[in-house]
Amino acid sequence: MNNIYPIFDKMLTRADKEALLGQHGLMVWFTGLSGSGKSTIAIALERELQKRGLLCRILDGDNIRSGINNNLGFSPEDRVENIRRIAEVGKLFVDTGIITIAAFISPNNQLREMASRIIGKDDFMEVYVSTPIEECERRDVKGLYAKARRGEIKEFTGISAPFEAPESPALSLDTSKLSLEESVHRLLDMILPRVKSEKKVANSKS
């Protein structure tokens, strides 16, 4: 007798979760060179959304590479698997109604397209932080670009490994021209209409 029962028809739905939170899930996927400002914008965006009572979760190299992906390196195969796992985790958050903010170089269109397919195109907002490489190098306090140019770091995106700019991002932000406040304001203009929802309050009867 089979003792494995299907449970998915018994689990609460995404609509149930979103009604509880009073918001719609969405993936905001930042892509751009190292030092372009992805994480800085992501953190500022999270704070502004929280001020508005919206639940968010940031995914970036610090919490992904040190945890779920700590067994991955930087080979082409590992880079693909890194993005695949991030997208699968992101999908779980989005399906729970959480606004998920991913900040990863994700250097080519094929990787980002894979992430979009996994998460769902309707829930995927690609944001290109298009800061020029010269500005990214100027900001580089860790000296990673200098090491890459000396050949001390192999396969460094923008120097010894290519970066493909998104073909049609939802938004482009050049942080060499835009202030942090301007960048976040533009993001809020795009995000808020998509995530706001009326919170449903269940009436209890005694």
Side-chain angles (χ1 to χ4, degrees):
M1 189 173 177
N2 190 349
N3 63 352
I4 300 176
Y5 297 96
I7 63 170
F8 292 103
D9 60 341
K10 298 181 176 67
M11 296 171 67
L12 290 171
T13 67
R14 173 174 175 173
D16 294 321
K17 304 292 187 182
E18 291 182 332
L20 175 68
L21 295 174
Q23 64 183 56
H24 295 296
L26 178 69
M27 169 60 79
V28 183
W29 189 284
F30 289 102
T31 181
L33 293 169
S34 176
S36 60
K38 300 182 299 297
S39 292
T40 301
I41 298 172
I43 291 168
L45 175 63
E46 179 189 41
R47 291 182 182 277
E48 289 301 318
L49 290 171
Q50 170 119 346
K51 286 179 185 177
R52 290 160 174 79
L54 296 166
L55 182 62
C56 310
R57 172 75 252 186
I58 292 179
L59 304 177
D60 66 5
D62 288 340
N63 58 27
I64 292 294
R65 283 283 185 178
S66 63
I68 192 172
N69 288 353
N70 66 3
N71 65 324
L72 298 178
F74 293 92
S75 68
E77 296 79 12
D78 280 2
R79 286 177 184 269
V80 171
E81 178 62 9
N82 182 53
I83 297 300
R84 189 194 70 79
R85 292 186 196 177
I86 292 163
E88 292 288 0
V89 170
K91 179 177 175 58
L92 294 175
F93 280 116
V94 170
D95 285 349
T96 310
I98 297 171
I99 302 163
T100 309
I101 304 167
F104 296 94
I105 293 173
S106 42
N108 62 58
N109 289 311
Q110 185 175 3
L111 284 175
R112 296 187 295 267
E113 176 62 26
M114 176 184 68
S116 175
R117 286 198 309 271
I118 291 170
I119 293 162
K121 293 184 184 296
D122 291 342
D123 295 321
F124 190 87
M125 178 184 289
E126 185 179 53
V127 178
Y128 176 30
V129 185
S130 60
T131 310
I133 191 170
E134 296 79 12
E135 177 64 15
C136 295
E137 289 194 68
R138 189 188 67 78
R139 298 173 180 175
D140 184 21
V141 295
K142 295 181 181 179
L144 299 178
Y145 279 96
K147 290 179 180 178
R149 289 194 181 280
R150 293 195 299 267
E152 297 172 16
I153 301 177
K154 306 298 183 185
E155 297 299 313
F156 190 85
T157 305
I159 303 298
S160 50
F163 178 85
E164 292 179 4
E167 295 173 351
S168 54
L171 185 65
S172 291
L173 301 170
D174 181 349
T175 63
S176 69
K177 298 177 180 178
L178 295 171
S179 69
L180 180 58
E181 292 75 15
E182 289 171 327
S183 295
V184 171
H185 182 75
R186 293 189 183 190
L187 283 161
L188 291 173
D189 283 346
M190 290 193 62
I191 293 169
L192 291 177
R194 294 184 60 172
V195 301
K196 284 188 173 179
S197 175
E198 292 299 322
K199 195 165 189 174
K200 295 180 182 178
V201 179
N203 293 318
S204 60
K205 296 182 179 179
S206 55

